[in-house]
Amino acid sequence: MITRIASHHVVDRDGRDSPATITVEAGRISDVSEGIEPKAELVDEWILPGYVDTHCHGGAGADFTDPDSKAALRAVHYHRSQGSTTLFASTVTAAIDDVVTQIERLRRLVDLDEIAGIHLEGPFLAESRKGAHAVELLCDPDPASVDRLIEAGGSALKMVTIAPERAHGLEAVATFSNAGVHAAIGHTECDNTTASAAVDAGADVVTHLFNAMPSIHHRKPGPVPPMLTDSRVVCELICDGVHLAPDVIRMAMSTACPKRIALVTDAMSATGQPDGDYILGSLPVKVVDGRARLLAADGSLGAIAGSTLTMGRAVEFVTSVVGVPLGRVAVVAATTPARIHGLDEVGAIEEGRWADLCLTDARGHLVRVVRRGETI
């Protein structure tokens, strides 16, 4: 349990770093003062707010949809040790009845304060952009299904990914938004006009921008340009060196600015595990050199199937490979996702918030994780 810790590089909510001392009482930050107090534990590392991952399917060999709660907790604790002091549990496409059952199980983890919320990725996705989702289970977001999910999720349901071009898509976006659930545009074939219409209807997040959606074309722009430039939208990025090239990440960070970018892992059960064969939802996946891809019946590899990324490695990649200053990376790894989802007890090193801290070297390499005042 830490009581007072100091560094010459403590990062604030705007990404600025300066010498400061953090005082912790009962797991919360009770004071942040300028300068280095003599009695504090002085560390060489930068001190960043604990990372907030709002799109994660599992890790440590476990999937969040596993009926065994101990397996789900194993994934939570693994990602926590890798910097994600706050975490949403993401599902994959399943039949509505099964999704409701998954929500009921995950709500228990929310009630136990192990996860901060639930994110449903599917089943309201486009067949042509299904990625690692079972195509036969994809469906339209009809009003009855939407109402069932909202009722099942209650306040624990934080976000739902939707292809807005599906029948009832824009209506569903509005219904989820009015219920306090973030509607995220993703796994979509929509054009720029439909994407903007979805934002007008209440969508304010884009699920892993660039991935599982039309690419930018100079005469058919697709959803990417309006989502990058609309101030109402926060764009998820998977920064593992597989999903996005460094130049694309630089473009997104420059265009949208850190207050509109959220790093996510989209991690699957293979995260933290050796290469080999795994299952994502109901689909077989093979991991080779840490890269997860769907496995076809003939043994060939198909679409990217989530990732084996951790937030600690994402921050290091964006800092040391992409070249974004570490303070700005802290904003997209913690402050922005916390803000957009109303998580006002985390995401920034400020008085009254939980003492959730990530200590890194100057290149973003994770050295130490503190959650609620205790080193993990």
Side-chain angles (χ1 to χ4, degrees), residues 67-87:
D68 181 3
S69 62
K70 291 182 180 179
L73 283 172
R74 188 166 73 248
V76 171
H77 294 157
Y78 174 75
H79 280 287
R80 196 175 285 170
S81 75
Q82 304 302 306
S84 296
T85 52
T86 300
L87 191 70

PDB file of all heavy atoms in Angstrom, residues 67-87:
ATOM      1  N   PRO A  67     -18.930 -19.449 -18.990  1.00  0.00           N
ATOM      2  CA  PRO A  67     -19.856 -19.588 -17.858  1.00  0.00           C
ATOM      3  C   PRO A  67     -19.152 -19.653 -16.508  1.00  0.00           C
ATOM      4  O   PRO A  67     -19.765 -19.353 -15.475  1.00  0.00           O
ATOM      5  CB  PRO A  67     -20.569 -20.917 -18.163  1.00  0.00           C
ATOM      6  CG  PRO A  67     -20.434 -21.108 -19.632  1.00  0.00           C
ATOM      7  CD  PRO A  67     -19.102 -20.527 -19.985  1.00  0.00           C
ATOM      8  N   ASP A  68     -17.889 -20.030 -16.508  1.00  0.00           N
ATOM      9  CA  ASP A  68     -17.114 -20.125 -15.274  1.00  0.00           C
ATOM     10  C   ASP A  68     -16.618 -18.731 -14.874  1.00  0.00           C
ATOM     11  O   ASP A  68     -15.753 -18.163 -15.536  1.00  0.00           O
ATOM     12  CB  ASP A  68     -15.943 -21.080 -15.474  1.00  0.00           C
ATOM     13  CG  ASP A  68     -15.108 -21.252 -14.208  1.00  0.00           C
ATOM     14  OD1 ASP A  68     -15.468 -20.683 -13.158  1.00  0.00           O
ATOM     15  OD2 ASP A  68     -14.074 -21.953 -14.281  1.00  0.00           O
ATOM     16  N   SER A  69     -17.163 -18.186 -13.800  1.00  0.00           N
ATOM     17  CA  SER A  69     -16.786 -16.836 -13.379  1.00  0.00           C
ATOM     18  C   SER A  69     -15.308 -16.763 -12.993  1.00  0.00           C
ATOM     19  O   SER A  69     -14.677 -15.708 -13.127  1.00  0.00           O
ATOM     20  CB  SER A  69     -17.651 -16.378 -12.208  1.00  0.00           C
ATOM     21  OG  SER A  69     -17.469 -17.223 -11.084  1.00  0.00           O
ATOM     22  N   LYS A  70     -14.740 -17.879 -12.525  1.00  0.00           N
ATOM     23  CA  LYS A  70     -13.326 -17.871 -12.171  1.00  0.00           C
ATOM     24  C   LYS A  70     -12.458 -17.648 -13.408  1.00  0.00           C
ATOM     25  O   LYS A  70     -11.402 -17.011 -13.320  1.00  0.00           O
ATOM     26  CB  LYS A  70     -12.950 -19.183 -11.486  1.00  0.00           C
ATOM     27  CG  LYS A  70     -13.568 -19.356 -10.103  1.00  0.00           C
ATOM     28  CD  LYS A  70     -13.123 -20.660  -9.463  1.00  0.00           C
ATOM     29  CE  LYS A  70     -13.739 -20.819  -8.075  1.00  0.00           C
ATOM     30  NZ  LYS A  70     -13.334 -22.110  -7.444  1.00  0.00           N
ATOM     31  N   ALA A  71     -12.903 -18.166 -14.540  1.00  0.00           N
ATOM     32  CA  ALA A  71     -12.159 -17.957 -15.784  1.00  0.00           C
ATOM     33  C   ALA A  71     -12.194 -16.486 -16.176  1.00  0.00           C
ATOM     34  O   ALA A  71     -11.171 -15.895 -16.537  1.00  0.00           O
ATOM     35  CB  ALA A  71     -12.739 -18.823 -16.896  1.00  0.00           C
ATOM     36  N   ALA A  72     -13.391 -15.887 -16.091  1.00  0.00           N
ATOM     37  CA  ALA A  72     -13.508 -14.468 -16.425  1.00  0.00           C
ATOM     38  C   ALA A  72     -12.643 -13.620 -15.497  1.00  0.00           C
ATOM     39  O   ALA A  72     -11.981 -12.664 -15.936  1.00  0.00           O
ATOM     40  CB  ALA A  72     -14.969 -14.038 -16.343  1.00  0.00           C
ATOM     41  N   LEU A  73     -12.620 -13.973 -14.221  1.00  0.00           N
ATOM     42  CA  LEU A  73     -11.790 -13.226 -13.272  1.00  0.00           C
ATOM     43  C   LEU A  73     -10.309 -13.382 -13.591  1.00  0.00           C
ATOM     44  O   LEU A  73      -9.527 -12.450 -13.378  1.00  0.00           O
ATOM     45  CB  LEU A  73     -12.078 -13.677 -11.846  1.00  0.00           C
ATOM     46  CG  LEU A  73     -13.364 -13.145 -11.229  1.00  0.00           C
ATOM     47  CD1 LEU A  73     -13.638 -13.821  -9.886  1.00  0.00           C
ATOM     48  CD2 LEU A  73     -13.289 -11.628 -11.058  1.00  0.00           C
ATOM     49  N   ARG A  74      -9.931 -14.541 -14.093  1.00  0.00           N
ATOM     50  CA  ARG A  74      -8.533 -14.737 -14.481  1.00  0.00           C
ATOM     51  C   ARG A  74      -8.137 -13.750 -15.577  1.00  0.00           C
ATOM     52  O   ARG A  74      -7.038 -13.169 -15.548  1.00  0.00           O
ATOM     53  CB  ARG A  74      -8.324 -16.179 -14.945  1.00  0.00           C
ATOM     54  CG  ARG A  74      -6.863 -16.540 -15.183  1.00  0.00           C
ATOM     55  CD  ARG A  74      -6.656 -18.043 -15.301  1.00  0.00           C
ATOM     56  NE  ARG A  74      -7.163 -18.581 -16.569  1.00  0.00           N
ATOM     57  CZ  ARG A  74      -8.203 -19.394 -16.672  1.00  0.00           C
ATOM     58  NH1 ARG A  74      -8.901 -19.743 -15.591  1.00  0.00           N
ATOM     59  NH2 ARG A  74      -8.583 -19.859 -17.859  1.00  0.00           N
ATOM     60  N   ALA A  75      -9.034 -13.540 -16.527  1.00  0.00           N
ATOM     61  CA  ALA A  75      -8.776 -12.560 -17.580  1.00  0.00           C
ATOM     62  C   ALA A  75      -8.694 -11.148 -17.012  1.00  0.00           C
ATOM     63  O   ALA A  75      -7.815 -10.359 -17.385  1.00  0.00           O
ATOM     64  CB  ALA A  75      -9.864 -12.648 -18.652  1.00  0.00           C
ATOM     65  N   VAL A  76      -9.622 -10.816 -16.115  1.00  0.00           N
ATOM     66  CA  VAL A  76      -9.614  -9.491 -15.483  1.00  0.00           C
ATOM     67  C   VAL A  76      -8.282  -9.238 -14.785  1.00  0.00           C
ATOM     68  O   VAL A  76      -7.634  -8.193 -14.976  1.00  0.00           O
ATOM     69  CB  VAL A  76     -10.776  -9.347 -14.479  1.00  0.00           C
ATOM     70  CG1 VAL A  76     -10.622  -8.061 -13.669  1.00  0.00           C
ATOM     71  CG2 VAL A  76     -12.117  -9.365 -15.196  1.00  0.00           C
ATOM     72  N   HIS A  77      -7.859 -10.186 -13.973  1.00  0.00           N
ATOM     73  CA  HIS A  77      -6.651  -9.987 -13.178  1.00  0.00           C
ATOM     74  C   HIS A  77      -5.403  -9.926 -14.057  1.00  0.00           C
ATOM     75  O   HIS A  77      -4.463  -9.174 -13.762  1.00  0.00           O
ATOM     76  CB  HIS A  77      -6.535 -11.103 -12.145  1.00  0.00           C
ATOM     77  CG  HIS A  77      -7.626 -11.055 -11.115  1.00  0.00           C
ATOM     78  ND1 HIS A  77      -8.022 -12.150 -10.386  1.00  0.00           N
ATOM     79  CD2 HIS A  77      -8.426 -10.038 -10.718  1.00  0.00           C
ATOM     80  CE1 HIS A  77      -9.006 -11.817  -9.581  1.00  0.00           C
ATOM     81  NE2 HIS A  77      -9.280 -10.534  -9.766  1.00  0.00           N
ATOM     82  N   TYR A  78      -5.402 -10.688 -15.153  1.00  0.00           N
ATOM     83  CA  TYR A  78      -4.256 -10.603 -16.053  1.00  0.00           C
ATOM     84  C   TYR A  78      -4.162  -9.204 -16.667  1.00  0.00           C
ATOM     85  O   TYR A  78      -3.095  -8.574 -16.644  1.00  0.00           O
ATOM     86  CB  TYR A  78      -4.346 -11.652 -17.164  1.00  0.00           C
ATOM     87  CG  TYR A  78      -3.244 -11.459 -18.177  1.00  0.00           C
ATOM     88  CD1 TYR A  78      -1.934 -11.824 -17.882  1.00  0.00           C
ATOM     89  CD2 TYR A  78      -3.500 -10.843 -19.405  1.00  0.00           C
ATOM     90  CE1 TYR A  78      -0.904 -11.598 -18.778  1.00  0.00           C
ATOM     91  CE2 TYR A  78      -2.472 -10.621 -20.313  1.00  0.00           C
ATOM     92  CZ  TYR A  78      -1.181 -11.001 -19.990  1.00  0.00           C
ATOM     93  OH  TYR A  78      -0.156 -10.755 -20.881  1.00  0.00           O
ATOM     94  N   HIS A  79      -5.271  -8.722 -17.226  1.00  0.00           N
ATOM     95  CA  HIS A  79      -5.215  -7.400 -17.864  1.00  0.00           C
ATOM     96  C   HIS A  79      -4.929  -6.300 -16.848  1.00  0.00           C
ATOM     97  O   HIS A  79      -4.251  -5.314 -17.166  1.00  0.00           O
ATOM     98  CB  HIS A  79      -6.520  -7.132 -18.608  1.00  0.00           C
ATOM     99  CG  HIS A  79      -6.574  -7.803 -19.950  1.00  0.00           C
ATOM    100  ND1 HIS A  79      -5.839  -7.360 -21.025  1.00  0.00           N
ATOM    101  CD2 HIS A  79      -7.258  -8.897 -20.378  1.00  0.00           C
ATOM    102  CE1 HIS A  79      -6.056  -8.142 -22.071  1.00  0.00           C
ATOM    103  NE2 HIS A  79      -6.917  -9.080 -21.708  1.00  0.00           N
ATOM    104  N   ARG A  80      -5.417  -6.485 -15.640  1.00  0.00           N
ATOM    105  CA  ARG A  80      -5.127  -5.507 -14.594  1.00  0.00           C
ATOM    106  C   ARG A  80      -3.622  -5.436 -14.346  1.00  0.00           C
ATOM    107  O   ARG A  80      -3.053  -4.347 -14.182  1.00  0.00           O
ATOM    108  CB  ARG A  80      -5.878  -5.920 -13.326  1.00  0.00           C
ATOM    109  CG  ARG A  80      -6.006  -4.839 -12.287  1.00  0.00           C
ATOM    110  CD  ARG A  80      -6.878  -5.338 -11.144  1.00  0.00           C
ATOM    111  NE  ARG A  80      -8.295  -5.370 -11.513  1.00  0.00           N
ATOM    112  CZ  ARG A  80      -9.230  -5.945 -10.760  1.00  0.00           C
ATOM    113  NH1 ARG A  80      -8.903  -6.562  -9.632  1.00  0.00           N
ATOM    114  NH2 ARG A  80     -10.502  -5.909 -11.141  1.00  0.00           N
ATOM    115  N   SER A  81      -2.966  -6.585 -14.343  1.00  0.00           N
ATOM    116  CA  SER A  81      -1.521  -6.616 -14.109  1.00  0.00           C
ATOM    117  C   SER A  81      -0.740  -5.988 -15.259  1.00  0.00           C
ATOM    118  O   SER A  81       0.425  -5.622 -15.090  1.00  0.00           O
ATOM    119  CB  SER A  81      -1.052  -8.060 -13.904  1.00  0.00           C
ATOM    120  OG  SER A  81      -1.024  -8.775 -15.134  1.00  0.00           O
ATOM    121  N   GLN A  82      -1.389  -5.852 -16.418  1.00  0.00           N
ATOM    122  CA  GLN A  82      -0.750  -5.270 -17.599  1.00  0.00           C
ATOM    123  C   GLN A  82      -1.145  -3.813 -17.830  1.00  0.00           C
ATOM    124  O   GLN A  82      -0.953  -3.281 -18.913  1.00  0.00           O
ATOM    125  CB  GLN A  82      -1.083  -6.105 -18.836  1.00  0.00           C
ATOM    126  CG  GLN A  82      -0.696  -7.577 -18.702  1.00  0.00           C
ATOM    127  CD  GLN A  82       0.778  -7.764 -18.428  1.00  0.00           C
ATOM    128  OE1 GLN A  82       1.626  -7.269 -19.166  1.00  0.00           O
ATOM    129  NE2 GLN A  82       1.111  -8.479 -17.357  1.00  0.00           N
ATOM    130  N   GLY A  83      -1.715  -3.184 -16.809  1.00  0.00           N
ATOM    131  CA  GLY A  83      -1.995  -1.754 -16.866  1.00  0.00           C
ATOM    132  C   GLY A  83      -3.449  -1.364 -16.920  1.00  0.00           C
ATOM    133  O   GLY A  83      -3.785  -0.203 -16.669  1.00  0.00           O
ATOM    134  N   SER A  84      -4.355  -2.308 -17.285  1.00  0.00           N
ATOM    135  CA  SER A  84      -5.784  -1.977 -17.399  1.00  0.00           C
ATOM    136  C   SER A  84      -6.430  -2.026 -16.028  1.00  0.00           C
ATOM    137  O   SER A  84      -7.069  -3.009 -15.650  1.00  0.00           O
ATOM    138  CB  SER A  84      -6.491  -2.947 -18.351  1.00  0.00           C
ATOM    139  OG  SER A  84      -5.978  -2.823 -19.656  1.00  0.00           O
ATOM    140  N   THR A  85      -6.275  -0.957 -15.267  1.00  0.00           N
ATOM    141  CA  THR A  85      -6.850  -0.917 -13.926  1.00  0.00           C
ATOM    142  C   THR A  85      -8.372  -0.776 -13.971  1.00  0.00           C
ATOM    143  O   THR A  85      -9.049  -1.034 -12.976  1.00  0.00           O
ATOM    144  CB  THR A  85      -6.242   0.241 -13.116  1.00  0.00           C
ATOM    145  OG1 THR A  85      -6.360   1.461 -13.860  1.00  0.00           O
ATOM    146  CG2 THR A  85      -4.771  -0.032 -12.819  1.00  0.00           C
ATOM    147  N   THR A  86      -8.907  -0.372 -15.119  1.00  0.00           N
ATOM    148  CA  THR A  86     -10.352  -0.336 -15.352  1.00  0.00           C
ATOM    149  C   THR A  86     -10.634  -1.034 -16.665  1.00  0.00           C
ATOM    150  O   THR A  86      -9.935  -0.815 -17.656  1.00  0.00           O
ATOM    151  CB  THR A  86     -10.874   1.113 -15.404  1.00  0.00           C
ATOM    152  OG1 THR A  86     -10.597   1.759 -14.155  1.00  0.00           O
ATOM    153  CG2 THR A  86     -12.372   1.146 -15.659  1.00  0.00           C
ATOM    154  N   LEU A  87     -11.692  -1.864 -16.688  1.00  0.00           N
ATOM    155  CA  LEU A  87     -11.904  -2.743 -17.835  1.00  0.00           C
ATOM    156  C   LEU A  87     -13.396  -2.954 -18.086  1.00  0.00           C
ATOM    157  O   LEU A  87     -14.173  -3.126 -17.143  1.00  0.00           O
ATOM    158  CB  LEU A  87     -11.254  -4.098 -17.531  1.00  0.00           C
ATOM    159  CG  LEU A  87     -11.103  -5.133 -18.626  1.00  0.00           C
ATOM    160  CD1 LEU A  87     -10.051  -4.683 -19.641  1.00  0.00           C
ATOM    161  CD2 LEU A  87     -10.676  -6.467 -18.020  1.00  0.00           C
TER     162      LEU A  87
END
